[in-house]
């Protein structure tokens, strides 16, 4: 699997800095999708069904995410931050990207307590259908006992 696979997408960077969004004892992921003045947010740890963002064919969606280590005194080393957008339903417990994922990136990072990392990409929606965006950690379970993930469905009627 390549570390970055994108079609008509622009990855716009990663930020490492102090964390102000995570709680005192958790690692959190915030995912936001927006376009045309509309926006939808999803947070890791939500037990409800994944939220759905509705877009139009050829409309450019802006996907932003941030991961914050609010775990006091718990540095996390060699954590892979895996982000992808693919066709399909977001409801499987842990969807994986297919070989023709619309966007995929993976970045290995260290998260000291209080550190936040963020990134974004923009993508024109190619055709009508159901898509999903997933942001997940790989390797956090070594220290936290679990991986952290958030997913959002994108519907293009």
């Amino acid at each position: 699997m390549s570390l970055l696979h994108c079609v008509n997408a622009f990855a716009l960077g990663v930020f490492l800095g102090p964390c102000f969004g995570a709680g005192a004892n958790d690692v959190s992921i915030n995912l936001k999708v927006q376009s045309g003045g509309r926006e939808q947010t999803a947070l890791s740890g939500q037990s409800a069904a994944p939220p759905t963002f509705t877009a139009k064919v050829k409309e450019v969606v802006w996907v932003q995410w941030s991961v914050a280590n609010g775990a006091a005194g718990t540095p996390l080393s060699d954590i892979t931050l895996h982000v992808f957008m693919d066709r399909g339903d977001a409801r499987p417990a842990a969807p994986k990207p297919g070989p023709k994922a619309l966007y995929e990136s993976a970045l290995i990072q260290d998260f000291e307590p209080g550190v936040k990392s963020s990134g974004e990409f923009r993508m024109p929606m190619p055709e009508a259908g159901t898509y999903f965006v997933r942001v997940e950690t790989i390797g956090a379970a070594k220290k936290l006992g679990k991986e952290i993930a958030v997913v959002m469905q994108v519907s293009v009627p």
Side-chain angles (χ1 to χ4, degrees):
M1 169 179 22
S2 69
L3 290 181
L4 174 64
H5 174 83
C6 60
V7 178
N8 291 325
F10 303 98
L12 298 175
V14 172
F15 167 77
L16 288 174
C19 165
F20 302 107
N25 295 310
D26 61 354
V27 173
S28 64
I29 302 176
N30 183 353
L31 172 62
K32 180 167 61 171
V33 178
Q34 56 187 339
S35 185
R38 302 172 321 277
E39 111 179 10
Q40 179 71 50
T41 302
L43 302 171
S44 57
Q46 292 178 327
S47 59
T52 300
F53 181 82
T54 303
K56 300 173 185 168
V57 173
K58 305 295 181 205
E59 183 174 47
V60 175
V61 296
W62 183 13
V63 178
Q64 300 170 288
W65 64 90
S66 63
V67 179
N69 181 5
T74 306
L76 301 173
S77 300
D78 297 326
I79 304 301
T80 301
L81 186 56
H82 185 217
V83 181
F84 61 93
M85 181 177 212
D86 205 351
R87 292 171 176 83
D89 194 333
R91 282 176 268 242
K96 298 295 177 199
K100 294 183 179 182
L102 298 169
Y103 175 87
E104 183 174 14
S105 70
L107 179 65
I108 298 172
Q109 295 182 247
D110 292 339
F111 286 91
E112 293 298 321
V115 169
K116 177 180 177 181
S117 173
S118 61
E120 59 187 46
F121 69 89
R122 295 173 193 223
M123 164 94 45
M125 298 311 299
E127 60 192 21
T130 301
Y131 302 84
F132 66 94
V133 179
R134 181 175 170 93
V135 181
E136 63 187 359
T137 62
I138 301 172
K142 292 181 284 187
K143 289 265 182 145
L144 301 176
K146 64 180 179 179
E147 298 297 343
I148 311 297
V150 64
V151 66
M152 185 180 305
Q153 189 122 343
V154 179
S155 175
V156 182

